[in-house]
Amino acid sequence: MGTLYLVRHGQASFGAKDYDQLSERGRQQSERLGAYWRERGLRFDAVLCGTLRRHAQTLEGITQGLGGAPDPLQLPGLDEYDSQALIHCVHPAPLPRPDTPELYRQHFRLLCDALAQWMGGTISPAGMPSWDDFAGGVRAALDHVRRRHQGQNVLLVSSGGPIAAAIGQVLSTPPEVTIALNMRIRNSAVTQFSIGSKRLMLQTFNGLPHLDRPEDAALVTHA
């Protein structure tokens, strides 16, 4: 039985004009993960990733630490939702940059509210697919892995939303649980699925084995 390793991208540029760019810390997280796997002799038979810049940069860091990996299959269905478009649906007025603890909490309270309404079909954020179509893109990626990569190790680099959606599909979780999972996934965290012939099965969730030393505490991030 093979294993699918789902990795959330490294820390991006939260609060900046261009979020879709790894920070220096995000690059370190990605390289550390690849080096961790290299030390344990792990190699991948296939790689999938979204099309966003932070996905490519995370994969680049992992590959550098790992010492090589297959060329990725890029799938738009693994791209993240547009958090700003979601929030705008429930709070049309401009918001200040979330650069204080209270503004940070406000941002994610609004995002969770918007996600629940999007998943329930009560809002349609501009430029975004429906929740069913978004979840369908994730399902197609999982089906691809299950059909083509049984008995293999597969790396999938994406974002918190698609990874939470994948877990929700495997475990049949209700929307509120899927949203809660989404909010907990840390940068460069690893979630593992066993690849069975008929279904995928959750092995681990949101692990950071590559950052488990006390001196690496500053590398553990969420946004």
Side-chain angles (χ1 to χ4, degrees):
M1 185 174 291
T3 302
L4 172 61
Y5 296 78
L6 301 95
V7 176
R8 185 190 175 202
H9 61 79
Q11 185 189 55
S13 301
F14 182 75
K17 186 175 181 180
D18 182 9
Y19 173 75
D20 193 23
Q21 177 76 32
L22 287 196
S23 67
E24 180 56 36
R25 186 174 294 173
R27 295 180 187 278
Q28 291 179 44
Q29 293 165 340
S30 305
E31 291 175 11
R32 290 281 188 91
L33 178 56
Y36 173 86
W37 281 334
R38 181 184 63 198
E39 291 166 1
R40 284 149 185 80
L42 180 62
R43 289 293 181 266
F44 293 102
D45 301 290
V47 177
L48 287 71
C49 71
T51 69
L52 301 178
R53 186 188 309 143
R54 57 190 182 272
H55 299 158
Q57 291 173 344
T58 298
L59 180 56
E60 180 182 355
I62 292 172
T63 302
Q64 182 174 339
L66 189 60
D71 291 336
L73 172 63
Q74 290 188 301
L75 299 174
L78 295 175
D79 289 349
E80 184 64 291
Y81 51 70
D82 185 340
S83 60
Q84 295 302 323
L86 280 160
I87 290 173
H88 184 74
C89 282
V90 299
H91 194 290
L95 287 165
R97 179 179 174 180
D99 55 4
T100 69
E102 178 52 38
L103 290 174
Y104 181 89
R105 288 190 292 270
Q106 179 191 40
H107 173 91
F108 284 101
R109 282 196 299 268
L110 291 170
L111 178 58
C112 289
D113 181 20
L115 283 168
Q117 294 191 48
W118 178 45
M119 294 168 80
T122 59
I123 62 172
S124 299
M128 283 179 52
S130 68
W131 165 255
D132 287 345
D133 286 344
F134 178 86
V138 175
R139 186 177 298 108
L142 298 182
D143 287 346
H144 172 91
V145 170
R146 184 180 53 77
R147 290 194 310 267
R148 302 194 181 192
H149 298 294
Q150 291 182 39
Q152 297 182 336
N153 290 325
V154 180
L155 171 62
L156 186 157
V157 178
S158 184
S159 294
I163 293 172
I167 299 168
Q169 290 174 21
V170 168
L171 298 182
S172 300
T173 59
E176 61 270 21
V177 174
T178 302
I179 293 169
L181 290 169
N182 186 178
M183 295 302 111
R184 297 311 306 160
I185 300 175
R186 299 171 290 187
N187 295 120
S188 76
V190 183
T191 293
Q192 294 174 246
F193 291 165
S194 296
I195 306 171
S197 59
K198 295 183 178 179
R199 62 191 178 100
L200 301 174
M201 294 156 282
L202 181 66
Q203 287 185 351
T204 68
F205 169 64
N206 201 28
L208 292 174
H210 54 300
L211 302 178
D212 64 355
R213 299 178 303 176
E215 56 267 35
D216 291 331
L219 290 176
V220 177
T221 60
H222 285 84

Coordinates of all heavy atoms in Angstrom, one line a residue, residues 104-190:
Y104 N -5.9 40.3 13.5 CA -5.6 39.0 13.0 C -6.8 38.1 13.3 O -7.3 37.3 12.5 CB -4.3 38.5 13.6 CG -3.8 37.1 13.2 CD1 -3.0 36.9 12.1 CD2 -4.2 36.0 13.9 CE1 -2.6 35.7 11.7 CE2 -3.8 34.7 13.6 CZ -2.9 34.6 12.5 OH -2.5 33.3 12.1
R105 N -7.2 38.1 14.6 CA -8.4 37.3 15.0 C -9.6 37.7 14.2 O -10.4 36.8 13.8 CB -8.6 37.4 16.5 CG -7.5 36.7 17.3 CD -7.9 36.6 18.8 NE -7.9 37.9 19.4 CZ -6.9 38.5 20.0 NH1 -5.7 37.8 20.1 NH2 -7.0 39.7 20.6
Q106 N -9.8 39.0 14.0 CA -11.0 39.4 13.2 C -11.0 38.9 11.8 O -12.0 38.4 11.3 CB -11.0 41.0 13.2 CG -12.2 41.5 12.4 CD -12.1 43.0 12.1 OE1 -11.0 43.5 11.8 NE2 -13.2 43.7 12.2
H107 N -9.8 38.9 11.2 CA -9.6 38.4 9.8 C -10.1 36.9 9.7 O -10.9 36.6 8.9 CB -8.2 38.5 9.4 CG -7.9 37.8 8.1 ND1 -7.9 38.5 6.9 CD2 -7.5 36.5 7.8 CE1 -7.6 37.7 5.9 NE2 -7.4 36.5 6.4
F108 N -9.7 36.1 10.7 CA -10.0 34.7 10.6 C -11.4 34.4 11.1 O -12.1 33.5 10.6 CB -9.0 33.9 11.4 CG -7.7 33.7 10.6 CD1 -6.6 34.5 10.9 CD2 -7.6 32.9 9.5 CE1 -5.4 34.4 10.1 CE2 -6.5 32.8 8.7 CZ -5.4 33.5 9.0
R109 N -12.0 35.3 12.0 CA -13.4 35.1 12.3 C -14.3 35.4 11.1 O -15.2 34.6 10.8 CB -13.8 36.1 13.4 CG -13.4 35.7 14.8 CD -14.1 36.5 15.9 NE -13.9 37.9 15.8 CZ -12.9 38.6 16.4 NH1 -12.1 37.9 17.2 NH2 -12.8 39.9 16.3
L110 N -14.0 36.4 10.3 CA -14.7 36.7 9.1 C -14.5 35.6 8.1 O -15.5 35.2 7.4 CB -14.3 38.1 8.6 CG -14.7 39.3 9.4 CD1 -13.9 40.5 8.8 CD2 -16.2 39.5 9.3
L111 N -13.3 35.1 8.0 CA -13.0 34.1 7.0 C -13.8 32.8 7.3 O -14.4 32.2 6.4 CB -11.5 33.8 6.9 CG -11.1 32.7 6.0 CD1 -11.5 33.0 4.5 CD2 -9.6 32.5 6.0
C112 N -13.8 32.4 8.5 CA -14.6 31.2 8.9 C -16.1 31.4 8.6 O -16.8 30.5 8.1 CB -14.4 30.9 10.4 SG -12.7 30.3 10.8
D113 N -16.6 32.6 8.9 CA -18.0 32.9 8.6 C -18.3 32.8 7.1 O -19.3 32.2 6.7 CB -18.4 34.3 9.1 CG -19.8 34.6 8.9 OD1 -20.7 33.7 8.7 OD2 -20.2 35.8 8.9
A114 N -17.4 33.4 6.3 CA -17.5 33.4 4.9 C -17.4 31.9 4.3 O -18.2 31.5 3.4 CB -16.5 34.3 4.2
L115 N -16.5 31.2 4.9 CA -16.3 29.8 4.4 C -17.6 29.0 4.6 O -18.1 28.2 3.8 CB -15.2 29.1 5.1 CG -13.8 29.5 4.6 CD1 -12.7 29.0 5.6 CD2 -13.5 28.9 3.2
A116 N -18.2 29.2 5.8 CA -19.4 28.4 6.1 C -20.6 28.8 5.1 O -21.3 27.9 4.7 CB -19.9 28.7 7.6
Q117 N -20.7 30.1 4.8 CA -21.7 30.5 3.9 C -21.4 30.1 2.5 O -22.3 29.7 1.7 CB -21.8 32.0 3.9 CG -22.4 32.6 5.3 CD -22.7 34.0 5.2 OE1 -23.4 34.4 4.3 NE2 -22.3 34.8 6.2
W118 N -20.2 30.1 2.1 CA -19.8 29.6 0.7 C -20.1 28.1 0.6 O -20.7 27.6 -0.4 CB -18.3 29.9 0.5 CG -17.7 29.4 -0.8 CD1 -18.2 29.5 -2.0 CD2 -16.5 28.7 -0.9 NE1 -17.4 29.0 -3.0 CE2 -16.3 28.5 -2.3 CE3 -15.4 28.3 -0.1 CZ2 -15.1 27.9 -2.8 CZ3 -14.3 27.7 -0.6 CH2 -14.2 27.5 -1.9
M119 N -19.7 27.3 1.6 CA -20.0 25.9 1.6 C -21.5 25.6 1.6 O -21.9 24.6 1.1 CB -19.2 25.2 2.8 CG -17.7 25.3 2.7 SD -16.9 24.8 4.2 CE -16.9 23.1 4.0
G120 N -22.2 26.5 2.3 CA -23.7 26.3 2.3 C -24.4 26.8 1.1 O -25.6 26.6 0.9
G121 N -23.6 27.5 0.2 CA -24.2 28.0 -1.1 C -25.0 29.3 -0.9 O -25.7 29.6 -1.9
T122 N -24.8 30.0 0.2 CA -25.5 31.3 0.3 C -24.7 32.5 -0.2 O -25.3 33.6 -0.3 CB -25.9 31.5 1.8 OG1 -24.7 31.5 2.6 CG2 -26.8 30.4 2.3
I123 N -23.5 32.4 -0.5 CA -22.7 33.4 -1.1 C -21.9 32.9 -2.3 O -21.6 31.7 -2.3 CB -21.7 34.1 -0.1 CG1 -20.7 33.1 0.4 CG2 -22.5 34.8 1.0 CD1 -19.6 33.8 1.2
S124 N -21.7 33.8 -3.2 CA -20.9 33.4 -4.4 C -19.8 34.4 -4.6 O -20.0 35.5 -5.3 CB -21.8 33.4 -5.7 OG -22.8 32.4 -5.5
P125 N -18.6 34.2 -4.0 CA -17.5 35.2 -4.1 C -17.1 35.5 -5.5 O -17.0 34.5 -6.4 CB -16.4 34.6 -3.3 CG -17.1 33.6 -2.4 CD -18.3 33.1 -3.2
A126 N -16.8 36.7 -5.8 CA -16.4 37.1 -7.2 C -15.1 36.3 -7.6 O -14.2 36.3 -6.9 CB -16.2 38.6 -7.3
G127 N -15.2 35.8 -8.8 CA -14.0 35.1 -9.4 C -13.8 33.8 -8.9 O -12.7 33.2 -9.2
M128 N -14.6 33.2 -8.0 CA -14.4 31.9 -7.4 C -15.4 30.9 -7.9 O -16.5 31.2 -8.2 CB -14.5 32.0 -5.9 CG -13.2 32.6 -5.2 SD -13.4 32.8 -3.4 CE -13.9 31.1 -3.0
P129 N -15.0 29.6 -7.9 CA -16.0 28.6 -8.2 C -17.0 28.4 -7.1 O -16.7 28.9 -6.0 CB -15.1 27.3 -8.4 CG -13.9 27.6 -7.5 CD -13.7 29.1 -7.6
S130 N -18.0 27.6 -7.3 CA -18.8 27.2 -6.1 C -18.0 26.3 -5.3 O -17.0 25.7 -5.7 CB -20.1 26.5 -6.7 OG -19.7 25.2 -7.3
W131 N -18.5 26.1 -4.0 CA -17.8 25.1 -3.1 C -17.8 23.7 -3.8 O -16.8 23.0 -3.7 CB -18.5 25.1 -1.8 CG -18.1 23.9 -1.0 CD1 -18.8 22.7 -0.7 CD2 -16.8 23.6 -0.4 NE1 -18.1 21.8 0.0 CE2 -16.8 22.4 0.2 CE3 -15.6 24.4 -0.3 CZ2 -15.7 21.8 0.9 CZ3 -14.5 23.9 0.4 CH2 -14.6 22.6 1.0
D132 N -19.0 23.3 -4.4 CA -19.0 22.0 -5.0 C -17.9 21.8 -6.1 O -17.3 20.7 -6.2 CB -20.4 21.7 -5.6 CG -21.5 21.5 -4.5 OD1 -21.1 21.2 -3.3 OD2 -22.6 21.6 -4.8
D133 N -17.7 22.9 -6.9 CA -16.7 22.8 -7.9 C -15.3 22.8 -7.3 O -14.4 22.1 -7.8 CB -16.9 23.9 -8.9 CG -18.1 23.7 -9.8 OD1 -18.6 22.6 -9.9 OD2 -18.5 24.7 -10.4
F134 N -15.1 23.6 -6.3 CA -13.8 23.6 -5.6 C -13.5 22.2 -5.0 O -12.4 21.7 -5.2 CB -13.8 24.7 -4.5 CG -12.6 24.7 -3.6 CD1 -11.5 25.5 -4.0 CD2 -12.5 24.1 -2.4 CE1 -10.4 25.6 -3.3 CE2 -11.3 24.1 -1.6 CZ -10.3 24.9 -2.1
A135 N -14.5 21.7 -4.3 CA -14.3 20.3 -3.7 C -14.1 19.3 -4.8 O -13.4 18.3 -4.6 CB -15.5 20.0 -2.8
G136 N -14.8 19.5 -5.9 CA -14.6 18.5 -7.0 C -13.2 18.5 -7.6 O -12.7 17.5 -8.0
G137 N -12.5 19.7 -7.6 CA -11.1 19.7 -8.1 C -10.2 18.9 -7.2 O -9.3 18.2 -7.6
V138 N -10.5 19.0 -5.9 CA -9.7 18.2 -4.9 C -10.0 16.7 -5.1 O -9.1 15.9 -5.1 CB -10.0 18.7 -3.5 CG1 -9.3 17.8 -2.4 CG2 -9.6 20.2 -3.3
R139 N -11.3 16.4 -5.2 CA -11.6 15.0 -5.4 C -11.0 14.4 -6.6 O -10.5 13.3 -6.6 CB -13.2 14.9 -5.5 CG -13.7 13.5 -5.5 CD -15.2 13.4 -5.6 NE -15.7 14.0 -4.3 CZ -16.4 15.2 -4.3 NH1 -16.5 15.9 -5.4 NH2 -16.8 15.7 -3.2
A140 N -10.9 15.2 -7.7 CA -10.3 14.7 -8.9 C -8.8 14.4 -8.7 O -8.3 13.4 -9.2 CB -10.5 15.7 -10.0
A141 N -8.1 15.2 -7.9 CA -6.7 15.0 -7.6 C -6.5 13.7 -6.8 O -5.6 12.9 -7.1 CB -6.1 16.2 -6.9
L142 N -7.4 13.5 -5.8 CA -7.3 12.3 -5.0 C -7.6 11.0 -5.8 O -7.0 10.0 -5.7 CB -8.3 12.4 -3.8 CG -8.0 13.5 -2.8 CD1 -9.0 13.5 -1.7 CD2 -6.6 13.5 -2.3
D143 N -8.6 11.1 -6.7 CA -9.0 10.0 -7.5 C -7.8 9.7 -8.5 O -7.5 8.5 -8.7 CB -10.2 10.3 -8.4 CG -11.5 10.3 -7.6 OD1 -11.5 9.8 -6.4 OD2 -12.5 10.8 -8.1
H144 N -7.1 10.7 -9.0 CA -5.9 10.5 -9.8 C -4.9 9.7 -9.1 O -4.3 8.7 -9.6 CB -5.4 11.8 -10.3 CG -4.1 11.7 -11.0 ND1 -3.9 11.6 -12.3 CD2 -2.8 11.7 -10.5 CE1 -2.7 11.5 -12.7 NE2 -1.9 11.6 -11.6
V145 N -4.6 10.0 -7.8 CA -3.6 9.3 -7.0 C -4.1 7.9 -6.8 O -3.3 7.0 -6.9 CB -3.4 10.1 -5.7 CG1 -2.6 9.2 -4.7 CG2 -2.8 11.4 -5.9
R146 N -5.3 7.7 -6.4 CA -5.8 6.4 -6.1 C -5.7 5.4 -7.3 O -5.4 4.3 -7.2 CB -7.2 6.4 -5.5 CG -7.8 5.1 -5.1 CD -9.2 5.3 -4.5 NE -10.1 5.9 -5.5 CZ -10.6 5.4 -6.6 NH1 -10.3 4.1 -6.8 NH2 -11.4 6.1 -7.4
R147 N -6.1 6.0 -8.5 CA -6.1 5.1 -9.7 C -4.7 4.8 -10.2 O -4.5 3.7 -10.7 CB -6.9 5.9 -10.8 CG -8.4 6.0 -10.6 CD -9.1 6.4 -11.8 NE -8.5 7.5 -12.5 CZ -8.9 8.8 -12.3 NH1 -9.8 9.0 -11.4 NH2 -8.3 9.8 -12.9
R148 N -3.8 5.8 -10.1 CA -2.5 5.6 -10.8 C -1.3 5.3 -9.9 O -0.3 5.0 -10.5 CB -2.3 6.9 -11.6 CG -3.3 7.2 -12.6 CD -2.9 8.3 -13.6 NE -3.9 8.7 -14.5 CZ -3.7 9.4 -15.6 NH1 -2.5 9.8 -15.9 NH2 -4.7 9.7 -16.4
H149 N -1.4 5.5 -8.6 CA -0.2 5.4 -7.8 C -0.4 4.5 -6.6 O 0.2 4.7 -5.6 CB 0.2 6.8 -7.3 CG 0.5 7.7 -8.5 ND1 1.6 7.5 -9.3 CD2 -0.1 8.8 -9.0 CE1 1.6 8.5 -10.2 NE2 0.6 9.3 -10.0
Q150 N -1.1 3.4 -6.8 CA -1.2 2.4 -5.7 C 0.2 1.8 -5.5 O 0.9 1.5 -6.4 CB -2.2 1.3 -6.0 CG -3.6 1.8 -6.0 CD -4.6 0.7 -6.3 OE1 -4.4 -0.4 -5.8 NE2 -5.7 1.0 -7.0
G151 N 0.6 1.6 -4.2 CA 1.9 1.0 -3.9 C 3.0 2.0 -4.1 O 4.2 1.6 -3.9
Q152 N 2.8 3.3 -4.3 CA 3.8 4.3 -4.5 C 3.7 5.3 -3.4 O 2.7 5.5 -2.7 CB 3.7 4.9 -5.8 CG 3.9 3.9 -7.0 CD 3.8 4.6 -8.3 OE1 3.3 5.7 -8.5 NE2 4.5 4.0 -9.3
N153 N 4.9 6.1 -3.3 CA 4.9 7.3 -2.4 C 4.7 8.5 -3.3 O 5.4 8.7 -4.3 CB 6.3 7.4 -1.7 CG 6.5 6.4 -0.7 OD1 5.6 6.0 0.0 ND2 7.7 5.9 -0.5
V154 N 3.7 9.3 -2.9 CA 3.3 10.4 -3.7 C 3.3 11.7 -2.8 O 2.8 11.7 -1.7 CB 1.8 10.3 -4.3 CG1 1.4 11.5 -5.1 CG2 1.8 9.0 -5.1
L155 N 3.9 12.7 -3.4 CA 4.0 14.0 -2.7 C 2.9 15.0 -3.3 O 2.9 15.1 -4.5 CB 5.4 14.6 -2.8 CG 5.5 16.1 -2.3 CD1 5.2 16.2 -0.8 CD2 7.0 16.6 -2.6
L156 N 2.1 15.6 -2.5 CA 1.2 16.6 -3.0 C 1.4 17.9 -2.2 O 1.2 17.9 -1.0 CB -0.2 16.0 -2.8 CG -1.4 16.9 -3.4 CD1 -2.6 15.9 -3.6 CD2 -1.8 18.0 -2.5
V157 N 1.7 19.0 -2.9 CA 1.9 20.3 -2.3 C 0.8 21.2 -2.6 O 0.5 21.4 -3.8 CB 3.3 20.9 -2.7 CG1 3.4 22.3 -2.1 CG2 4.4 20.0 -2.3
S158 N 0.1 21.7 -1.6 CA -1.1 22.6 -1.8 C -1.2 23.6 -0.7 O -0.2 24.0 -0.2 CB -2.3 21.7 -2.0 OG -3.5 22.4 -2.3
S159 N -2.5 23.9 -0.4 CA -2.8 24.9 0.6 C -3.7 24.3 1.7 O -4.3 23.2 1.5 CB -3.4 26.1 0.0 OG -2.5 26.8 -0.9
G160 N -4.0 25.1 2.7 CA -4.9 24.6 3.8 C -6.3 24.2 3.3 O -6.8 23.2 3.8
G161 N -6.9 25.1 2.5 CA -8.2 24.8 2.0 C -8.4 23.5 1.3 O -9.2 22.6 1.7
P162 N -7.6 23.2 0.2 CA -7.7 21.9 -0.4 C -7.3 20.7 0.4 O -7.9 19.7 0.3 CB -6.7 22.1 -1.6 CG -6.7 23.5 -1.9 CD -6.8 24.2 -0.5
I163 N -6.3 20.9 1.3 CA -6.0 19.8 2.2 C -7.1 19.5 3.2 O -7.4 18.3 3.4 CB -4.6 20.1 2.9 CG1 -3.5 20.1 1.9 CG2 -4.4 19.0 4.0 CD1 -2.2 20.6 2.5
A164 N -7.7 20.5 3.7 CA -8.8 20.3 4.6 C -10.0 19.7 3.9 O -10.7 18.8 4.4 CB -9.3 21.6 5.3
A165 N -10.2 20.1 2.6 CA -11.3 19.5 1.8 C -11.0 18.0 1.6 O -11.9 17.2 1.6 CB -11.4 20.3 0.5
A166 N -9.7 17.7 1.3 CA -9.4 16.3 1.1 C -9.6 15.5 2.4 O -10.2 14.4 2.3 CB -7.9 16.2 0.7
I167 N -9.3 16.0 3.5 CA -9.5 15.2 4.8 C -11.0 15.1 5.0 O -11.5 14.0 5.4 CB -8.9 16.0 6.0 CG1 -7.4 16.0 5.8 CG2 -9.2 15.3 7.3 CD1 -6.7 16.9 6.7
G168 N -11.8 16.2 4.7 CA -13.2 16.1 4.9 C -13.8 15.1 4.0 O -14.8 14.4 4.4
Q169 N -13.3 14.9 2.8 CA -13.9 13.9 1.9 C -13.6 12.5 2.3 O -14.4 11.6 2.3 CB -13.4 14.2 0.5 CG -13.9 15.4 -0.2 CD -13.3 15.7 -1.5 OE1 -12.7 14.9 -2.2 NE2 -13.4 17.0 -2.0
V170 N -12.3 12.3 2.8 CA -11.9 11.0 3.3 C -12.7 10.6 4.5 O -13.1 9.4 4.7 CB -10.4 11.0 3.5 CG1 -10.0 9.7 4.2 CG2 -9.7 11.0 2.2
L171 N -12.9 11.5 5.4 CA -13.6 11.2 6.7 C -15.0 11.6 6.7 O -15.7 11.4 7.7 CB -12.9 12.0 7.8 CG -11.4 11.7 8.1 CD1 -10.9 12.5 9.3 CD2 -11.2 10.2 8.3
S172 N -15.6 12.2 5.6 CA -17.0 12.6 5.6 C -17.3 13.5 6.7 O -18.3 13.4 7.4 CB -17.9 11.4 5.6 OG -17.7 10.5 4.5
T173 N -16.5 14.6 6.9 CA -16.7 15.5 8.0 C -17.8 16.5 7.6 O -17.9 16.9 6.4 CB -15.5 16.2 8.4 OG1 -14.9 16.9 7.3 CG2 -14.4 15.2 8.9
P174 N -18.5 17.1 8.6 CA -19.5 18.2 8.2 C -18.7 19.5 8.0 O -17.5 19.6 8.4 CB -20.3 18.3 9.5 CG -19.5 17.7 10.6 CD -18.6 16.6 10.0
P175 N -19.3 20.5 7.4 CA -18.6 21.7 7.0 C -17.9 22.4 8.2 O -16.8 22.8 8.0 CB -19.7 22.6 6.4 CG -20.7 21.6 5.9 CD -20.7 20.5 6.8
E176 N -18.5 22.4 9.3 CA -17.9 23.1 10.4 C -16.6 22.4 10.9 O -15.6 23.1 11.3 CB -18.8 23.2 11.6 CG -19.3 22.0 12.2 CD -20.6 21.5 11.6 OE1 -20.9 21.9 10.4 OE2 -21.3 20.6 12.2
V177 N -16.5 21.1 10.7 CA -15.3 20.4 11.1 C -14.2 20.6 10.0 O -13.1 20.8 10.3 CB -15.6 18.9 11.3 CG1 -14.3 18.1 11.5 CG2 -16.5 18.7 12.4
T178 N -14.6 20.6 8.8 CA -13.7 20.9 7.7 C -13.1 22.3 7.8 O -11.9 22.5 7.7 CB -14.4 20.8 6.3 OG1 -15.0 19.5 6.1 CG2 -13.4 21.1 5.2
I179 N -13.9 23.3 8.2 CA -13.4 24.6 8.4 C -12.4 24.6 9.6 O -11.3 25.3 9.6 CB -14.5 25.6 8.7 CG1 -15.4 25.8 7.4 CG2 -14.0 27.0 9.1 CD1 -16.7 26.5 7.6
A180 N -12.8 24.0 10.7 CA -11.9 23.9 11.9 C -10.5 23.2 11.5 O -9.5 23.7 11.9 CB -12.6 23.1 13.0
L181 N -10.6 22.2 10.7 CA -9.3 21.5 10.3 C -8.5 22.5 9.5 O -7.3 22.6 9.6 CB -9.6 20.3 9.4 CG -10.2 19.1 10.2 CD1 -10.7 18.1 9.2 CD2 -9.2 18.5 11.1
N182 N -9.1 23.2 8.6 CA -8.5 24.2 7.7 C -7.7 25.2 8.6 O -6.5 25.6 8.3 CB -9.5 24.9 6.8 CG -8.9 25.9 5.8 OD1 -9.7 26.4 5.0 ND2 -7.6 26.0 5.8
M183 N -8.3 25.7 9.6 CA -7.7 26.8 10.5 C -6.5 26.2 11.3 O -5.7 27.0 11.8 CB -8.8 27.4 11.4 CG -9.9 28.1 10.7 SD -9.3 29.5 9.6 CE -9.6 28.9 8.0
R184 N -6.4 24.9 11.4 CA -5.3 24.4 12.3 C -4.1 23.9 11.5 O -3.1 23.7 12.1 CB -5.9 23.1 13.0 CG -7.0 23.4 14.0 CD -6.7 24.6 14.9 NE -5.4 24.4 15.6 CZ -4.8 25.4 16.2 NH1 -5.2 26.7 16.0 NH2 -3.6 25.2 16.8
I185 N -4.2 23.8 10.2 CA -3.1 23.3 9.4 C -1.9 24.3 9.4 O -2.1 25.4 8.9 CB -3.5 22.9 8.0 CG1 -4.6 21.9 8.0 CG2 -2.3 22.4 7.2 CD1 -5.2 21.5 6.7
R186 N -0.8 23.8 9.8 CA 0.4 24.7 9.9 C 1.2 24.7 8.7 O 1.1 23.8 7.8 CB 1.2 24.3 11.1 CG 0.5 24.3 12.4 CD 1.2 23.7 13.6 NE 1.3 22.2 13.5 CZ 1.7 21.4 14.4 NH1 2.2 22.0 15.6 NH2 1.7 20.1 14.2
N187 N 2.0 25.8 8.5 CA 2.9 25.9 7.3 C 3.9 24.7 7.3 O 4.6 24.4 8.3 CB 3.6 27.2 7.3 CG 2.7 28.4 7.2 OD1 2.7 29.2 8.1 ND2 2.0 28.5 6.1
S188 N 4.0 24.1 6.1 CA 4.9 23.0 5.8 C 4.4 21.7 6.6 O 5.2 20.7 6.5 CB 6.3 23.3 6.1 OG 6.7 23.2 7.4
A189 N 3.3 21.7 7.2 CA 2.8 20.5 7.9 C 2.5 19.4 6.9 O 2.1 19.6 5.8 CB 1.6 20.8 8.8
V190 N 2.6 18.1 7.4 CA 2.4 16.9 6.6 C 1.2 16.2 7.1 O 1.1 15.9 8.3 CB 3.7 16.0 6.7 CG1 3.5 14.8 5.8 CG2 4.9 16.8 6.3

